């Protein structure tokens, strides 16, 4: 039986900072992604790997926008987000 470790304080701080930066990117930046509706898209959480090599971003869209469609657009343009996130953090 394996127990999952709780995230460290550092992981939590990094996840929170990533969430804030991505949220600001959606609200303030003009990303020029066709079909993306940033005003209807929310970053609801970030999960960081223990070695901080990987992050999972939890996204939700507010109706009338389809969440699956918005997630697909975000995944197609993840390079833009990675680049800007790297510059901001």
């Amino acid at each position: 039986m394996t127990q999952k470790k709780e995230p460290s304080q550092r992981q939590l701080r990094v996840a929170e900072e990533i969430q804030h930066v991505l949220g600001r990117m959606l609200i303030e930046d003009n990303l020029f992604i066709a079909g993306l509706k940033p005003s209807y898209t929310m970053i609801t959480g970030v999960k960081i790997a223990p070695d901080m090599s990987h992050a999972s971003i939890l996204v939700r869209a507010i109706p009338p926008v389809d969440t699956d469609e918005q997630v697909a657009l975000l995944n197609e343009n993840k390079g833009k987000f990675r680049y800007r996130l790297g510059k901001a953090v």
Side-chain angles (χ1 to χ4, degrees):
M1 195 174 357
T2 61
Q3 289 181 331
K4 286 194 171 191
K5 283 181 67 176
E6 293 293 319
S8 68
Q9 286 296 329
R10 184 172 184 219
Q11 284 174 276
L12 293 173
R13 284 193 313 263
V14 170
E16 185 176 354
E17 181 63 22
I18 289 172
Q19 184 174 354
H20 287 297
V21 170
L22 288 174
R24 272 185 265 136
M25 283 170 53
L26 287 174
I27 292 170
E28 297 171 359
D29 288 352
N30 198 350
L31 296 171
F32 300 112
I33 298 172
L36 183 65
K37 307 227 181 323
S39 58
Y40 291 101
T41 306
M42 296 184 301
I43 306 297
T44 58
V46 177
K47 294 181 181 178
I48 300 282
D51 63 354
M52 296 198 199
S53 63
H54 179 75
S56 297
I57 312 301
L58 307 173
V59 179
R60 184 173 189 184
I62 302 168
V65 177
D66 181 31
T67 299
D68 294 334
E69 179 184 315
Q70 295 299 295
V71 169
L73 285 169
L74 293 170
N75 282 331
E76 288 173 14
N77 294 282
K78 61 187 167 190
K80 289 182 182 180
F81 289 97
R82 284 181 181 163
Y83 177 78
R84 289 186 177 193
L85 184 63
K87 292 282 188 183
V89 175

